[in-house]
Amino acid sequence: MTRDSTAGGLTNRPKRKPTLRTIAQMTGFAVATVSRALADDPRIAAKTRATVAEAARAVGYVPDRAARRLRTGRTQVVTLMLNTEHEFLGFTHEFLSGITAGLAGTGYSVTVVPDALGADRLDPVRTILRNRLADGLIFTRTESFDPRARLLMEADFPFVSHGRTEFTEPHPWVDFDNESFARAAVERHVQRGRERIAFVPPSDKFTFAQHLRYGFLSAVRAAGVGYEIADTVTIDSPSAVVADWVRARTTAPEPPDAWVCVGEATALVTLGALSDCGVLPGRDVDVISKRASPIFDNIRPRIETVFEDVRLTGKTMAKMLVRRMQGEDPAMLHHLFSAEPDFALEP
């Protein structure tokens, strides 16, 4: 008796893995069109992209990145080195969403590698370079003479830093005008009649700490008001330690009557410590903070803020990285977002 090789309409022979050509034959589109549609290229009609995507789902198509890498020498991957401890609430979600939006239609996907501030920040970079795990890098918390930037420039490997360095050799960067933020915050406090302004800074090794400090000091000196910059805590200190410092300063002789906060996390700690001391923002003291979310819209009493668009920052960095990977001159690749205060309270 001859055994039937099929059962229930299914053949026992293994099916061939679906390819771009498979989808092209199913849909009637050219292979190049299918490839661009699957990369969500906005230049391909939305209806075409939807048709191709449905066909890909129907046959279980999965891009063969290994084959593409062998063929082109590219991984079609960019890596985000991300420190998850940040002064902004929701930074990771907003930043990563922006990067994903910036890569849409390019065929690139993003992988995330943790970047621990206390560890050797070069280890993951060396691994990526040695094993060619990505075509480009994005990183945050940039230092004045960042070792990651130095190594990547020496290797001529595409990258974009969130923040500037002090290297003379140009490299791509996207930054926020922290100097203008600090200056505007101090000037607003002075306008409201405050006379002793306090500031918990980032660690001095980060470039944006220098920008903040310069803007803060130039403004308080120009106004002739008293000031205090914390020298035993930073925005990366444990929140309990920062709170203890704020409470100690608030209950000491000649306490600050105004605070400049680098981000939402420090501002919330500061507001909690002030409340512990029976001090009311808007009456006894004023607090101004940078923000990246609408959280302060729901906190009473209200404080004044300056918005930093983290999602747009991520999108801008991703687009800039693609340009660099395409060979654009790094000297032409930089963007500084302006500080735009949304001060609304009566002086």
Side-chain angles (χ1 to χ4, degrees), residues 131-143:
N131 299 300
R132 196 67 186 192
L133 299 179
D135 298 329
L137 273 176
I138 292 173
F139 60 80
T140 63
R141 284 301 186 91
T142 302
E143 300 176 20

Side-chain angles (χ1 to χ4, degrees), residues 17 19 61-76:
K17 182 179 178 180
T19 65
Y61 171 76
V62 177
D64 191 341
R65 292 193 179 276
R68 180 182 294 172
R69 180 177 178 180
L70 288 173
R71 185 172 65 254
T72 66
R74 291 186 171 273
T75 64
Q76 291 299 110

Side-chain angles (χ1 to χ4, degrees), residues 109-312:
S109 60
V110 59
T111 61
V112 180
V113 172
D115 176 34
L117 297 181
D120 181 357
R121 305 182 86 187
L122 282 179
D123 274 351
V125 179
R126 294 190 187 102
T127 299
I128 292 167
L129 291 176
R130 184 185 308 116
N131 299 300
R132 196 67 186 192
L133 299 179
D135 298 329
L137 273 176
I138 292 173
F139 60 80
T140 63
R141 284 301 186 91
T142 302
E143 300 176 20
S144 299
F145 294 97
D146 200 294
R148 300 166 299 177
R150 179 187 287 110
L151 178 60
L152 292 166
M153 286 189 289
E154 290 173 350
D156 194 26
F157 191 85
F159 73 96
V160 180
S161 62
H162 185 206
R164 288 159 278 178
T165 68
E166 294 186 20
F167 292 118
T168 55
E169 182 178 350
H171 66 78
W173 55 264
V174 175
D175 204 357
F176 179 81
D177 195 345
N178 285 288
E179 179 183 329
S180 291
F181 156 70
R183 183 179 290 108
V186 169
E187 290 172 350
R188 178 59 169 172
H189 281 318
V190 173
Q191 180 189 16
R192 292 177 62 84
R194 299 307 180 181
E195 298 179 342
R196 187 171 183 82
I197 306 172
F199 167 48
V200 177
S203 168
D204 285 341
K205 68 181 179 180
F206 300 122
T207 315
F208 82 119
Q210 299 180 23
H211 300 153
L212 286 162
R213 186 181 291 269
Y214 181 79
F216 181 87
L217 287 173
S218 62
V220 294
R221 289 167 178 167
V225 296
Y227 67 90
E228 184 166 355
I229 300 177
D231 57 3
T232 58
V233 296
T234 72
I235 61 173
D236 292 316
S237 299
S239 57
V241 175
V242 177
D244 285 343
W245 188 85
V246 174
R247 281 191 290 262
R249 292 304 309 123
T250 301
T251 56
E254 298 185 15
D257 60 2
W259 294 82
V260 175
C261 298
V262 177
E264 296 151 338
T266 306
L268 290 174
V269 171
T270 299
L271 290 170
L274 294 174
S275 178
D276 291 343
C277 298
V279 173
L280 182 65
R283 185 193 66 189
D284 307 312
V285 298
D286 283 320
V287 177
I288 294 177
S289 177
K290 267 203 304 176
R291 67 177 179 89
S293 76
I295 186 170
F296 292 118
D297 295 341
N298 304 305
I299 290 179
R300 301 295 183 272
R302 289 183 181 274
I303 66 170
E304 294 185 311
T305 60
V306 175
F307 180 62
E308 181 173 346
D309 193 333
V310 172
R311 185 181 291 248
L312 182 57

